[in-house]
């Protein structure tokens, strides 16, 4: 299978999920933003304000704490982790599920912090949500990420309503579905090692090493195209 390289376009999915952009320039008027879109903008503004106060390369752990603070409440990590592990989630013990979710979350949050620092000049434009209904439980939010001198990156992310809140649980960048790609990557690794515990320990080890090394060790898993 074709591997995607770590490029600015690939990193756009991180920015989309985290809402990490300089300033939202919606195709819709800002006052017309629908609740899922408005959530992205609000989270973006909050993260932007706090991360601008620090040098993320000097105080990377603080940057990770800031991103975690604002992202964790708005991402359905239970659903995200379950979809990524697929059949292995269904057979995993409660302890394995908890450990995997924590390490997977740590990996994503840390990479978001790095992505913001490296690609903070992205701007996002919201597209109208197709067949919007206030009673909808799930939506796909279509966006464009724009950077001066570059082709816009088409980014969509799936969101689910939980009570009165909207949460993200998957991102699609230029047609590449991150849930499916991580699932392919992790399934291949479990098949090679024969152990979900080995995968979890590998993620934990890489997370520990990356937090020590800082933002240069941001990307742990390269997505697999065509999953």
């Amino acid at each position: 299978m074709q591997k995607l390289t770590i490029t600015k376009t690939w990193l756009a999915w991180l920015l989309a999920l985290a809402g990490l952009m300089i300033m939202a320039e919606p195709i819709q008027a800002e006052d017309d933003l629908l609740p899922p879109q408005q959530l992205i903008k609000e989270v973006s503004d909050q993260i932007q304000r706090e991360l601008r106060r620090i040098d993320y390369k000097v105080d990377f752990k603080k940057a990770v704490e800031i991103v975690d603070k604002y992202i964790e409440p708005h991402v359905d990590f239970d659903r995200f982790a379950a979809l990524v592990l697929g059949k292995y989630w269904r057979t995993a013990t409660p302890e394995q599920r908890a450990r995997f979710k924590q390490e997977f979350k740590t990996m994503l949050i840390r990479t978001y912090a790095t992505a913001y620092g490296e690609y903070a000049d992205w701007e996002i434009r919201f597209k109208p949500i197709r067949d919007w209904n206030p009673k909808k439980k799930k939506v796909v939010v279509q966006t464009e990420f724009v950077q001066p001198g570059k082709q816009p990156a088409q980014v969509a992310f799936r969101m689910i309503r939980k009570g009165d809140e909207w949460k993200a649980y998957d991102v699609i960048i230029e047609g590449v579905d991150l849930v499916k790609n991580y699932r392919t990557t992790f399934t291949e690794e479990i098949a090679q090692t024969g152990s979900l515990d080995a995968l979890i320990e590998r993620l934990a080890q890489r997370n520990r090493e990356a937090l020590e090394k800082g933002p240069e060790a941001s990307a742990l898993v390269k997505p697999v195209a065509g999953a």
Side-chain angles (χ1 to χ4, degrees), residues 28 50 65 75 97 101 119 153 155 171 188 201:
Q28 295 170 273
E50 292 214 25
E65 290 176 3
V75 176
R97 289 182 178 184
K101 186 178 73 170
Y119 304 101
V155 179
V171 183
E188 290 176 351
E201 179 52 37

Side-chain angles (χ1 to χ4, degrees), residues 88-101 196 200:
Y88 295 106
W89 181 266
R90 294 190 289 273
T91 59
T93 66
E95 181 185 5
Q96 287 174 319
R97 289 182 178 184
R99 289 174 55 218
F100 175 80
K101 186 178 73 170
L196 174 57
I200 296 170

Side-chain angles (χ1 to χ4, degrees), residues 47 51 63-72 109 112-113:
I47 293 175
L51 285 185
V64 170
E65 290 176 3
I66 290 171
V67 174
D68 186 22
K69 172 183 175 182
Y70 290 109
I71 293 302
E72 198 278 335
I109 293 295
Y112 298 158

Side-chain angles (χ1 to χ4, degrees), residues 75-192:
V75 176
D76 189 346
F77 282 108
D78 285 325
R79 180 176 292 268
F80 207 155
L83 290 173
V84 164
L85 272 191
K87 64 181 181 181
Y88 295 106
W89 181 266
R90 294 190 289 273
T91 59
T93 66
E95 181 185 5
Q96 287 174 319
R97 289 182 178 184
R99 289 174 55 218
F100 175 80
K101 186 178 73 170
Q102 180 58 46
E103 297 304 335
F104 185 64
K105 170 189 165 183
T106 298
M107 179 189 73
L108 292 180
I109 293 295
R110 181 170 45 75
T111 311
Y112 298 158
T114 301
Y116 178 87
E118 294 296 330
Y119 304 101
D121 54 347
W122 283 101
E123 296 177 353
I124 187 172
R125 294 176 180 169
F126 295 102
K127 299 181 181 182
I129 295 179
R130 193 174 299 174
D131 300 323
W132 168 254
N133 183 317
K135 295 183 180 180
K136 275 195 169 186
K137 298 298 183 182
K138 293 182 181 179
V139 297
V140 177
V141 178
Q142 303 281 351
T143 69
E144 285 184 343
F145 275 80
V146 182
Q147 188 182 41
K150 303 292 183 181
Q151 288 293 322
Q154 304 301 314
V155 179
F157 48 98
R158 295 192 173 103
M159 302 187 75
I160 185 170
R161 186 202 302 269
K162 305 196 79 171
D164 294 330
E165 299 178 333
W166 285 96
K167 296 195 176 189
Y169 66 91
D170 188 18
V171 183
I172 304 167
I173 171 69
E174 295 291 345
V176 179
D177 188 313
L178 267 294
V179 160
K180 292 180 180 178
N181 279 273
Y182 273 116
R183 184 189 299 150
T184 297
T185 301
F186 292 155
T187 296
E188 290 176 351
E189 182 161 345
I190 292 172
Q192 291 173 358

Side-chain angles (χ1 to χ4, degrees), residues 41-57:
K41 185 181 185 306
E42 290 174 358
V43 172
S44 166
D45 291 344
Q46 291 168 329
I47 293 175
Q48 181 185 8
R49 282 194 295 269
E50 292 214 25
L51 285 185
R52 280 184 169 178
R53 297 172 184 167
I54 67 170
D55 183 338
Y56 88 103
K57 290 186 177 180

Side-chain angles (χ1 to χ4, degrees), residues 6 10-11 107 110-111 114 206 210 215-222:
I6 303 300
W10 179 77
L11 279 172
M107 179 189 73
R110 181 170 45 75
T111 311
T114 301
R206 293 294 295 273
E216 69 272 14
S218 63
L220 291 185
V221 180
K222 296 182 181 180

